[in-house]
Every structure is written in structure tokens, then in C-alpha cells.
Amino acid sequence: MRNYRLLPSASGGNRRLETEVYGLDLLSDPMLNRGTAFTAQERKTFHLDGLLPSAMTTIDEQVKRAYTQYQQQGGDVQKNLFLTALQDRNEVLFYRLLSEHLYEMLPIVYDPTIAHAIEHYSHEYRRPRGVYLSIDHPEDIEAAFRNFGAQPDEIDLIVATDAEEILGIGDWGVGGIEISVGKLAVYTAAAGIDPARVIPVMLDVGTNRESLLNDPFYLGNRHARVRGARYDAFIKAYIKTATKLFPHAMLHWEDFGPGNGRRILEKYRSQICTFNDDMQGTGAITLAALFSAMKVSGQPLRDQRVVIFGSGTAGIGNADQIRAAMMREGLSQEEATRRFWCVDIQGLLVDNMGEALRDFQVAYTRPASEVSGWQHDMPGGGISLAEVVRQVHPTAMIGTSTAPGTFTEAIVKEMAAHTERPIIFPLSNPTTLMEATPTNLLAWTDGRALVATGVPWHPITLKGTTYTIGQANNALVYPGLGLGTIVSRAQRVSDGMLMTAARAVASLVEVNQPGASLLPHVENLRAVSATVAVEVAKTAAAEGLARAKLPNIIQQVQDAMWQPVYPQVVVRQEVHV
């Protein structure tokens, strides 16, 4: 149960908390604790005299000390552990430090370093965060949320995972709670989502990782993953309870397996306010890079011929968002779908593949009759990426395959021979899994390729021109999308809101200069998120989805962005005198 309740604030940056705890109990609560920054009067009020060193410091001084300690850590894992410990001790100080060093620390608190915390969760267990829901006890879901202690109007965002497909490292069971916690940290640092108004959730449905099932320290349900009707009933119970107790909250799904993730989103997205970053966020940031590329090429999106290489959750998520944008430009769904050639491990997706196809891939299959005269040059009789490029002459090629080096020189040169500005996005990460490097892509196309990547990349100078490579980082989209959804109290997250978010991101780059980046720099996340939030809220209002009144959207977004400053804390008894 939380030791505080939220009180109305004069503005978004000046949160007020009401509490009835004192002394050591107050110091042990990371949302209330401010360490040596407690004033003399606060120390008397909350019975802290003698429990802290005599010196009183400002939060700026605390940040300097904390950053020095951070720099002294031996490596990325140690830095992650340090920041986690700081968050467990003093939440405001943690976010102040993170916000001042966001570009440096983002890979530490989230992808890729968080993978270590997930893998070692049961062995390094320190402090529980959020709500743990067990499929073995669905009857306890409501009690678990009530034990969290938040009132119905105190929660804006809930991030839940079942941890089946985490960050490319797979199924890690209950350790997946760290991905929910990390995702919310990015929401707060990048968009000012109040950390007191969120809940990380672990949907523990078991694990198929034998090493966890056989680990005596493992803290999750010790059985194989539950699937089928029982799984679906658990998800339904979670949604029913979360939306009943917290009617204004957006439900964010993170790192579900491709089958469940897409199925859940499609079933519920028209009923509740919900979002899947692996599909919708990935698609939106790729679409933003495409919008920028269209400015350079001078062509309409609807005319593009798009090859998706790697047709799993991310790849088809990209296709979905791009297709929706093409439909906004006047194509029918059938016409827009025909602008895609999706390639997976078995080759080009063709409608006669039967059970080799996943349900979400079927819509993008090509007719077998259309490709009967093509070379079926793969061992199982499939059609390779090279043959697809030779036959289709694509204008855009998007890689989400995690198959390194598959955008070969021959394939890229074949593509570039038929389009003036080939759009090539090797989005797989980490670097070792990229389909091609930007350096090679530019060299093979004589600088004509329009490139975005899934990982940070250094500028490249070729024949006197310096090319800045944009990173298609979902963090450029989802924090602002969430903030705009929260400010507008949107009933749901629509395709229009996603497309608006993508256009807002693209609007923040100037692509007229040779070699310009197609996407904003990740260093500017806070400004990007504010811009995205404003446009998303406007779209929610225009589409009739906003439940909040929005007389001054820009100011309302600014007011909603929580700032990492120590809140005013009042004693509960005094409030009711």
C-alpha cells in the first residue's frame, strides 16, 4: 500500500503529496524521501531530527554527487545497478539525474543493459516494484491492484508484459517486470509522465525457459507457459479489472510473443485505450523516417514499392502503419496492401504456403500465380530477397530480420539501379545483427541511399558530404504519444493518432541539406515528446476521441509534464483539521 495520496497541484511540475508516515518509514519510501535535502522545518515536522547528517543540500548538489558516483561504476551493468538502487531510495533524484544525462543513461536504464537485470532478476532481487499478477490466481487480480493503493483518478498509464519475447533475449518469466519498470522510466524521463501515476505490471503466465524452471532461486510461476482459453481468460480479467479500477489509464502492452501480442491488440484496441509499442510504436517511427524520405525524394508515399525483410511482429507492424498512411493518401486497403512484398525465413510470403504462414502474415501474401515465373531459389523452394528485389524494383527496403549482412552489395546495387533515392532501413539491433551498415549502403549507392538504422551510428563522410544517420528509436514516438493520449483522455489510440505522431517527429528535422538525418536526435527527447503530444491530443479531439476539454492544448501539455523536483509533502492529519 502506498504511503501517500496525490493532491491537486497548481501546475504539472509542483506535485503535492499527503502522507501520515514519519521518521524512518518516510525515509524508506522513495517517492517521499529526499535525503539530505529535507529542510530544518521538514525534519521537525516529519520526526527526522537525528536520522540524517546535519548538512542540508539542494537537489542540484545531490545530482552532482550522484553523477560522480555513477561515473565511478565499473561498467554498464554496475551503472544499471547503481541507478536502480538510487530509484529505490529517492525517485525524484533518480529522475533528475536521468533527465540531465538522458542520452548517456537511456541505454543503461533500458535497452540494451536492462537485459542483464531481466536475466538475473531472481538472483539479484532487491525491492518489488509494481503489481505481479499470477495466472494461477486470477481471482486475486483486483485485490492485487487495490493493495497497490492508488485511487481511480491517480493512474494514467499501466505497462504490462508477459515477458515471452523480451528485447531479442526471449522468454525470461517474472524477470520481465524489469521491462515494464524500464519502459515507464523512459516515459517519465522523455515525456514527463508522473511516476506516481503509473503502474508496472507483470502478467506471470509461466515460462518455457528450462534454466528458469530448474533454478531454485526463480521467483515466478514454476510451470510452462499457459496458452489457449485459460490465457485469454486471464488477459480478459486483467483488462476488465484495470479499466474498472483506473478508467482513465492507457494500457500499454510490451514484449508479448508475436501471436498473442497482435491478437490481443486487434481484439481490444477498438474497445479500450491501449497500445502495443512493438507493433504500433515500431511502425510509427519507421513511418516518420519514411515521411522524411518522401520530402527528399519528392514522391508520394502511396507510390512506394516496399519490401519488408523479416516479417514478424515488428516487420508486419511496420507494414500496417505504412499501409494505413497510404490509405490516407487515397488508396483502398487492397491497393495499399499490394504495395508490399514481405519476406521471412521461408522467403517471400505467398498465399499457397499454408501452415508455414502466421495468421498476421496472411494479409500480405502475394498470389502464387503472380510469382510462378520467378526463380524459386531457396532450399525449400521459396523466393529469396535477391529475387524479390530483382523482380519488384523496390523503392524502399526495411530490415527487421536480425539476419546480419543480408542486404548485400549485389542486392543494394540492384535496387539502386532502378530508383534514384533508394530508401534502406536496416533496423535490426544490436549492431551485430544489422542487415547492412550505413557506411556500406552509402558507398554502394554513391551516397544516394536514404538510410535510418535501429542503433546509433556515427556520421559518415563520403566524397565531401557528411551524412548524419537517424536512429529509428521508438522512444521518439511512444512517450509523446502516451502524453498526448493522457492529456486528451482519449477513448482509444487510433491510426490517425499514430500517423500524427509520426508526422510530428518528421516535422522536427530539416532534410533540405545533403546528408541530413531523417529523424531527430535522441538527445532532444523531451522537446520531441512535447511536440508529439500536442499533435496527438489535437488529433484525438478532431476525431471525437478526446474526453477532456482542450482549450489550450500547448499549455495543457506543458502543465502535464511532471518535473523532477521535490514535491510539497503535507501531513494527512493537518489537511483534515
Side-chain angles (χ1 to χ4, degrees):
M1 187 71 72
R2 303 205 296 188
N3 291 319
Y4 58 87
R5 62 183 290 262
L6 301 177
L7 297 175
S9 302
S11 68
N14 296 318
R15 191 203 311 138
R16 294 195 305 147
L17 303 180
E18 180 188 59
T19 187
E20 56 187 14
V21 299
Y22 296 86
L24 292 175
D25 287 338
L26 186 142
L27 292 178
S28 67
D29 189 306
M31 199 64 75
L32 299 173
N33 179 36
R34 61 185 67 178
T36 55
F38 280 108
T39 65
Q41 182 57 52
E42 288 168 339
R43 296 182 188 207
K44 291 185 180 300
T45 299
F46 294 107
H47 304 175
L48 299 175
D49 284 331
L51 301 182
L52 293 166
S54 299
M56 298 175 197
T57 57
T58 66
I59 191 170
D60 291 330
E61 293 169 332
Q62 288 180 315
V63 168
K64 290 179 182 177
R65 179 183 294 111
Y67 187 57
T68 298
Q69 294 170 336
Y70 171 85
Q71 291 177 305
Q72 292 171 346
Q73 304 306 307
D76 288 350
V77 171
Q78 288 72 27
K79 289 177 178 178
N80 175 273
L81 292 171
F82 170 80
L83 290 174
T84 299
L86 179 60
Q87 186 178 17
D88 287 345
R89 184 173 71 251
N90 185 331
E91 192 121 16
V92 173
L93 179 58
F94 164 77
Y95 280 112
R96 182 66 166 265
L97 177 66
L98 180 60
S99 65
E100 291 187 10
H101 303 277
L102 186 55
Y103 182 69
E104 176 185 357
M105 294 182 178
L106 193 61
I108 304 298
V109 300
Y110 198 60
D111 186 18
T113 311
I114 199 173
H116 173 90
I118 294 166
E119 292 171 346
H120 296 82
Y121 177 79
S122 294
H123 286 255
E124 296 177 352
Y125 180 78
R126 292 175 295 277
R127 179 179 184 272
R129 276 191 170 272
V131 172
Y132 301 76
L133 304 177
S134 170
I135 196 168
D136 297 336
H137 299 285
E139 71 279 3
D140 293 338
I141 292 176
E142 182 164 342
F145 275 121
R146 292 194 183 281
N147 289 341
F148 188 78
Q151 299 301 309
D153 61 347
E154 290 184 343
I155 299 298
D156 295 323
L157 176 63
I158 303 175
V159 174
T161 185
D162 73 354
E164 184 173 4
E165 289 267 340
I166 294 182
L167 297 173
I169 62 174
D171 174 0
W172 282 91
V174 75
I177 187 66
E178 295 285 359
I179 206 68
S180 295
V181 172
K183 202 77 176 187
L184 286 169
V186 180
Y187 266 114
T188 296
I193 306 296
D194 189 337
R197 300 184 63 86
V198 304
I199 306 177
V201 170
M202 178 64 219
L203 299 170
D204 189 353
V205 299
T207 177
N208 289 341
R209 186 173 290 274
E210 285 293 330
S211 62
L212 294 179
L213 295 174
N214 295 324
D215 184 347
F217 289 107
Y218 181 59
L219 294 172
N221 285 329
R222 202 175 290 273
H223 57 67
R225 283 188 169 271
V226 174
R227 303 195 185 277
R230 188 176 160 209
Y231 177 93
D232 291 345
F234 180 58
I235 296 298
K236 182 178 181 179
Y238 159 68
I239 292 172
K240 181 179 179 180
T241 305
T243 54
K244 180 182 83 170
L245 297 181
F246 310 110
H248 302 305
M250 181 175 84
L251 304 189
H252 175 131
W253 309 96
E254 189 68 21
D255 287 343
F256 283 69
N260 287 331
R262 187 177 186 86
R263 190 168 50 82
I264 291 168
L265 181 66
E266 292 302 319
K267 181 175 181 179
Y268 291 105
R269 66 175 303 201
S270 63
Q271 304 173 33
I272 62 173
C273 185
T274 192
F275 170 74
N276 185 308
D277 186 46
D278 302 304
M279 292 183 286
Q280 294 170 299
T282 298
I285 191 59
T286 304
L287 183 58
L290 272 177
F291 283 147
S292 293
M294 294 302 96
K295 295 179 188 177
V296 179
S297 69
Q299 299 176 348
L301 183 64
R302 58 175 287 166
D303 291 345
Q304 303 308 301
R305 297 183 301 279
V306 183
V307 168
I308 303 289
F309 184 61
S311 299
T313 301
I316 299 300
N318 280 327
D320 286 345
Q321 294 301 314
I322 300 166
R323 180 177 67 174
M326 288 178 170
M327 292 167 62
R328 290 290 179 111
E329 293 189 2
L331 297 184
S332 68
Q333 180 167 317
E334 182 180 357
E335 289 170 335
T337 303
R338 295 302 96 190
R339 308 301 297 177
F340 293 86
W341 288 260
C342 296
V343 183
D344 208 40
I345 191 169
Q346 67 269 50
L348 178 68
L349 301 185
V350 181
D351 63 8
N352 64 355
M353 287 182 166
E355 294 184 359
L357 295 169
R358 293 189 168 185
D359 55 355
F360 58 85
Q361 296 173 328
V362 172
Y364 290 98
T365 58
R366 307 301 298 195
S369 58
E370 174 187 289
V371 299
S372 60
W374 295 16
Q375 291 185 32
H376 291 62
D377 52 353
M378 293 182 66
I383 299 172
S384 70
L385 174 65
E387 177 66 3
V388 171
V389 170
R390 188 175 74 85
Q391 294 284 351
V392 172
H393 298 165
T395 59
M397 187 163 62
I398 299 169
T400 51
S401 67
T402 65
T406 43
F407 290 177
T408 64
E409 181 174 1
I411 288 174
V412 170
K413 286 187 172 180
E414 172 66 21
M415 178 183 180
H418 301 282
T419 182
E420 179 61 28
R421 299 305 301 269
I423 300 163
I424 309 177
F425 297 166
L427 300 182
S428 293
N429 60 80
T431 305
T432 53
L433 300 181
M434 292 175 71
E435 289 81 7
T437 67
T439 305
N440 284 338
L441 293 175
L442 290 170
W444 296 337
T445 61
D446 199 27
R448 292 187 289 122
L450 298 170
V451 181
T453 60
V455 297
W457 200 266
H458 53 81
I460 301 163
T461 300
L462 179 69
K463 295 184 178 179
T465 299
T466 298
Y467 298 84
T468 303
I469 308 301
Q471 182 189 0
N473 190 324
N474 291 21
L476 292 166
V477 171
Y478 70 80
L481 176 71
L483 179 60
T485 302
I486 290 167
V487 169
S488 65
R489 291 292 183 208
Q491 297 173 10
R492 58 186 179 85
V493 177
S494 68
D495 283 337
M497 292 161 67
L498 291 163
M499 198 173 311
T500 293
R503 288 196 183 279
V505 172
S507 74
L508 295 173
V509 291
E510 180 53 65
V511 295
N512 293 333
Q513 296 299 318
S517 174
L518 299 178
L519 292 165
H521 296 295
V522 177
E523 294 97 317
N524 302 323
L525 273 182
R526 193 92 172 181
V528 171
S529 296
T531 300
V532 170
V534 168
E535 297 306 314
V536 166
K538 286 180 180 178
T539 299
E543 294 183 347
L545 297 173
R547 290 174 289 192
K549 294 181 179 180
L550 300 170
N552 188 341
I553 293 179
I554 294 175
Q555 190 59 51
Q556 286 171 269
V557 166
Q558 291 298 319
D559 288 346
M561 295 181 77
W562 176 79
Q563 305 294 333
V565 296
Y566 288 125
Q568 179 186 2
V569 180
V570 298
V571 179
R572 183 166 295 178
Q573 290 89 333
E574 292 179 354
V575 173
H576 297 297
V577 170

